[in-house]
Amino acid sequence: IALAAAPRLLLLDEPGAGLSPDETQKMVTLVRKLKGRYTIILIEHKIDVVMTMSDRISVMHFGSVIAEGTPAEIQRAVAEMGWSGPMPVQKRVTPVMRRGRDLIAQAMTGSGKTGAFGLPSLEIIDPKLKAPQLLVLAPTRELALQIENEIKLMSKYLGLETISVYGGTAYGPQLEAFGRGAQVIVACPGRLLDHLSSGNVKLDELRVLVFDEADEMLSLGFWPDMRELQKYIPKTRLTGLFSATM
C-alpha cells in the first residue's frame, strides 16, 4: 500500500550484475542523489552489493538468502557459508522465536536445525553485553563442537565470543572464555554444572535456552543434571527443544 501511494518509484533489479567495483560505486553515488526523490527498491542476490548499497541508501531488500528482517551482518556470514535460502524448519521456527514463544521442533539431521535456532537467537543477543545470553545444551562433546562451530560462522561479523563446554578437557580455555564475557555457550550438562556450582560463570543475563537432541539427553541419563541446572537459569527466557528423533 505504501509503495502504491509513492509518487515515484525506482526499481533496481540486480544492479550489481556485471559491474566492476568502480562501476558499482558510481551506481551508489547516483542512487544517493535520487534518494530523496524516489522510493527505492533493491532486488539483489549478491551480498557484497547489498552490504555496499544498504550502508549508504534507504532500500527495501528482496532476495535475501535467509529470513526477511535478518541483520545484514548475519546475511553476509551465511552467504559466505554457501546457504542459498532458508530450509523449511528455519522458515517455521524463525517467526516463532522472534515472537518470543517457547517451542518444540522435530527436524531430521542435516535439515538446518542449528540454523533454525541459531539465526533468530543471534538476533536477540546484545553484542555489547559481555555475559552469556544464549545457552545450547547438547548430549555429546562432538555435537557441542559442531553446534559451536556453526554458530561461530553465523556470528562472524557480530563480534561475539562463543565457547563449547564439555568434560574430558582442560578447564583453562573455558575459564578464559568466561572471563572475556562469552555471549554464546554450547555445553554438555555435566561440565557446565561444575562451572556453575564453582561460580566460574553466571547465567543471570541468559535470554535463550536451547536443548538440542533433548530426547537423547534424557535417554543418556542427563535428567538429574537438567533439573539441577534450573537453579541457575532465569525463569524469564525463551526456551526451545529440538530433536531429530523425538
Side-chain angles (χ1 to χ4, degrees), residues 116-206:
F117 63 73
L119 293 173
S121 295
L122 292 177
E123 296 178 20
I124 297 171
I125 292 174
D126 179 2
K128 296 179 181 179
L129 178 59
K130 303 299 182 181
Q133 298 171 60
L134 167 60
L135 171 61
V136 182
L137 294 175
T140 66
R141 61 182 291 175
E142 291 78 16
L143 182 57
L145 284 166
Q146 177 184 325
I147 295 170
E148 193 237 342
N149 182 61
E150 282 199 52
I151 292 179
K152 184 179 293 185
L153 292 173
M154 287 186 273
S155 63
K156 180 178 179 180
Y157 297 105
L158 294 176
L160 301 180
E161 178 85 24
T162 68
I163 182 65
S164 51
V165 175
Y166 48 83
T169 189
Y171 281 80
Q174 298 170 9
L175 294 173
E176 291 171 4
F178 297 151
R180 292 191 296 268
Q183 294 101 339
V184 179
I185 297 176
V186 184
C188 295
R191 174 59 68 91
L192 179 61
L193 272 174
D194 288 347
H195 285 298
L196 289 168
S197 61
S198 300
N200 297 331
V201 64
K202 296 184 182 298
L203 302 177
D204 298 343
E205 301 293 338
L206 192 70

Side-chain angles (χ1 to χ4, degrees), residues 78-118:
V78 298
E80 292 179 0
M81 293 169 68
W83 293 11
S84 59
M87 304 288 279
V89 65
Q90 295 165 4
K91 290 181 179 179
R92 300 187 68 176
V93 166
T94 295
V96 176
M97 292 188 68
R98 281 178 171 173
R99 291 196 299 268
R101 300 287 299 274
D102 295 342
L103 76 157
I104 299 174
Q106 180 179 6
M108 295 179 62
T109 301
S111 63
K113 186 156 47 71
T114 303
F117 63 73

Side-chain angles (χ1 to χ4, degrees), residues 27-43:
M27 172 71 77
V28 172
T29 301
L30 173 62
V31 172
R32 289 185 66 187
K33 292 179 180 179
L34 300 174
K35 175 182 174 183
R37 295 158 50 191
Y38 290 85
T39 296
I40 302 170
I41 299 178
L42 168 64
I43 302 176

